[in-house]
Amino acid sequence: MSDSVSQAARPRPYRLAELGLIILAIVASTSAYALVGLGVDDAMPTDIYGYMAWLTALALLIHIVVWWKAKYADPVLVPIAVLLNGLGLAMIHRVDLGRVEFLDSATQQLIWMTLGVGLAITVLIVLRDHRWLRRYTYVSGFLALFFLLLPLIPGLGRTINGARIWIGIGPLSFQPGEIAKILLAIFFAGYLVAYRDQLVLAGPKILGIRFPRLRDFGPIVIAWIASVGVLVFERDLGTSLLFFGLFVAMLYVATSKVSWIIIGMSFFAAGAVLATLLFSHVQQRIDGWLNALTAEEYNKTPGGSYQLVQGLFGMANGGLVGTGLGEGRPNMVPYAESDFIYASFGEELGMAGLFVILLCYLLIFERGIRTAQKLRDGFGTLLAAGLSFTIALQVFVVVGGVTRLIPLTGLTTPFLAQGGSSLVANWVIIALLLRMSDNARRPVDEFHTGVLKITEDPDSTTASARRRKKSADDSDRTDAEHRNSPSDRTSSDESPTTVHATTPADEAVTTNLSTRRPSGPDQRPTDEPTQGGDR
């Protein structure tokens, strides 16, 4: 009876459902590519079959690896990534057809997609347990700093459109900050799990909100200084905002204290005011945002609001359902295939198409947050939430800039926009979310079959040793109390400690940010704060 109940309660892999969604994504992407050719040249693109075969091979390859190495992974992530990537390839090809000189940028982007899918497959095969990354918390932090400083090296860094965030090796250029954001998410997750107790300790209460103690402000001050440093030396407003927002979001997830959000917003506001007053390139972005429709800003060169206004006109021309793929004029907008690809979709797919694209990003964010809630360890919870928020914040910053909700920042739309470094980094994020979702949904009895080896947390080992020592010291007193108290003895005999058959007695069972052990005398959560916290 119990075996049948256990089998019925086991999660379903949903790999066939993932395969069906991948097929739909390939059909939609190939159809968009074909419609671009029909709209521009009244003929099917000559490379349509090669494009479809290449995209299908990549999608099926990562699907097979997921089925093989992470069969319980979320079935929605890969199809959405393939759909967004395929639609981006179609629009990049559309912009190419509108140029005087055909650059074949879509093929280059497809090569970058191949590299990104290859790295995602490597992550799924090599990384069997996401908790292994916690061992390299500070290594990830130093590597992130190294990648951020690479563009500042003379001869290696390149300045494009005023921002020094690229490195060049021969004809190739790469943006190391895209890799740094993943490493920073790993570092923040490991750091916040280790020092969570100090960050949730009670502090002064102001206007009904409990704020942290003054000595606990160090992490957010360091993150703020680092983000300002990126803004000052690399002149990149978008990356600076992304890194600081990522840290504040993960800090809130770790502590559940609204005060950190208020403090983070205050630091961001102060930094924005100082940057506007001290740096001309930031002031240009602000002026182009606030006075976009004035003749002075529209005609200003360099800078100005020409790009922003043309993008707004293009989306207005698209209306509700758009002009149709290949029927608009997205090339009137500078960088229509990269920074303003969202405006290009707005013209040819209309507001309805833009809502569908935003819904795809929302689904990625929702699946990532759901994975974070289901994970059994605090490090994984923070890492999944941080990576999901990275994609969500990047989409918000890009879409907000294109629609004139906030100033332009120069970030690219994940999976859609032309840019190899961004595409590769986002595929690695998808792979990490797949690995963590597999670990979250995998039954406990499969963790000891060799499919996934449990990495023992050093904090849990230390806590276990302390607990055993305490139990040994108090054993005589406890035995005497039980002998003298019949009710306690009866209660103890009737309610024994239960441990899962496949879980060692000394092994921590983790849930979200709290490490809990099997119930027993004198045992409490080892990761809970020792003093009253603002939960």
Side-chain angles (χ1 to χ4, degrees), residues 72-157:
Y72 290 101
D74 193 292
V76 179
L77 293 174
V78 172
I80 293 179
V82 171
L83 176 61
L84 291 173
N85 209 157
L87 292 177
L89 289 168
M91 183 53 67
I92 293 171
H93 180 64
R94 163 69 187 95
V95 176
D96 257 359
L97 293 177
R99 293 191 177 105
V100 176
E101 180 182 1
F102 185 75
L103 300 178
D104 203 12
S105 301
T107 301
Q108 299 175 17
Q109 186 76 349
L110 194 55
I111 294 174
W112 281 110
M113 180 185 176
T114 305
L115 178 59
V117 171
L119 286 178
I121 290 173
T122 303
V123 170
L124 289 171
I125 294 176
V126 174
L127 185 64
R128 305 289 295 276
D129 187 348
H130 65 273
R131 289 170 292 183
W132 177 80
L133 296 174
R134 187 178 176 184
R135 301 177 181 178
Y136 303 96
T137 296
Y138 292 98
V139 174
S140 299
F142 283 117
L143 285 177
L145 182 62
F146 170 75
F147 279 111
L148 286 176
L149 294 178
L150 273 181
L152 300 179
I153 298 177
L156 183 62

Side-chain angles (χ1 to χ4, degrees), residues 193-206:
V193 165
Y195 293 95
R196 173 177 171 269
D197 288 353
Q198 290 89 324
L199 296 174
V200 299
L201 289 175
K205 198 169 186 180
I206 303 175

Side-chain angles (χ1 to χ4, degrees), residues 161-478:
N161 296 327
R164 192 177 179 85
I165 55 176
W166 283 269
I167 59 174
I169 301 176
L172 300 178
S173 61
F174 191 79
Q175 190 173 338
E178 294 291 339
I179 305 299
K181 69 182 182 183
I182 302 176
L183 296 172
L184 283 175
I186 297 173
F187 169 70
F188 290 156
Y191 174 83
L192 292 173
V193 165
Y195 293 95
R196 173 177 171 269
D197 288 353
Q198 290 89 324
L199 296 174
V200 299
L201 289 175
K205 198 169 186 180
I206 303 175
L207 298 177
I209 300 176
R210 192 171 299 279
F211 286 84
R213 299 173 302 179
L214 185 60
R215 59 186 177 183
D216 296 326
F217 274 79
I220 197 169
V221 172
I222 294 175
W224 181 74
I225 293 175
S227 63
V228 171
V230 171
L231 178 62
V232 173
F233 295 105
E234 299 185 359
R235 303 170 63 89
D236 185 19
L237 179 61
T239 303
S240 174
L241 173 60
L242 179 63
F243 290 164
F244 185 69
L246 170 64
F247 179 73
V248 173
M250 295 181 68
L251 189 58
Y252 172 72
V253 173
T255 62
S256 299
K257 298 183 73 171
V258 181
S259 56
W260 283 116
I261 299 294
I262 298 175
I263 295 170
M265 294 298 293
S266 301
F267 271 87
F268 171 75
V273 172
L274 289 177
T276 303
L277 296 176
L278 298 178
F279 309 120
S280 59
H281 62 285
V282 177
Q283 183 63 52
Q284 288 179 357
R285 297 287 179 90
I286 299 296
D287 292 340
W289 170 51
L290 295 177
N291 307 310
L293 299 178
T294 63
E296 180 182 0
E297 284 297 326
Y298 182 81
N299 297 316
K300 181 186 294 184
T301 54
S305 61
Y306 175 82
Q307 182 185 32
L308 175 60
V309 173
Q310 288 298 322
L312 293 175
F313 287 164
M315 289 187 288
N317 184 49
L320 180 62
V321 295
T323 60
L325 288 172
E327 301 291 342
R329 293 185 292 174
N331 294 83
M332 295 185 66
V333 183
Y335 300 100
E337 75 283 3
S338 54
D339 294 3
F340 270 69
I341 196 170
Y342 190 76
S344 301
F345 276 107
E347 180 177 4
E348 300 203 338
L349 295 183
M351 187 170 61
L354 294 182
F355 281 168
V356 172
I357 292 174
L358 288 180
L359 181 61
C360 291
Y361 287 119
L362 180 62
L363 285 174
I364 293 178
F365 178 72
E366 185 270 336
R367 306 306 288 192
I369 295 299
R370 177 174 293 186
T371 296
Q373 292 175 338
K374 289 184 178 180
L375 280 166
R376 304 175 178 95
D377 64 296
F379 172 78
T381 297
L382 280 175
L383 182 58
L387 294 176
S388 303
F389 185 79
T390 298
I391 294 179
L393 180 60
Q394 191 165 342
V395 171
F396 169 77
V397 170
V398 172
V399 174
V402 171
T403 57
R404 205 188 163 199
L405 179 65
I406 60 175
L408 291 172
T409 58
L411 291 178
T412 57
T413 314
F415 296 107
L416 288 180
Q418 181 182 5
S421 51
S422 175
L423 184 59
V424 169
N426 287 314
W427 271 109
V428 172
I429 290 177
I430 292 295
L432 291 173
L433 290 177
L434 287 170
R435 170 53 64 207
M436 287 185 285
S437 64
D438 174 70
N439 294 353
R441 299 177 67 243
R442 184 175 293 275
V444 177
D445 57 347
E446 291 195 16
F447 279 80
H448 299 273
T449 61
V451 176
L452 178 64
K453 296 180 181 179
I454 291 183
T455 303
E456 189 172 8
D457 191 341
D459 296 338
S460 301
T461 305
T462 305
S464 177
R466 290 198 303 266
R467 189 179 67 260
R468 287 196 297 268
K469 184 176 183 300
K470 178 177 177 61
S471 298
D473 294 339
D474 297 342
S475 59
D476 295 338
R477 179 175 56 82
T478 304

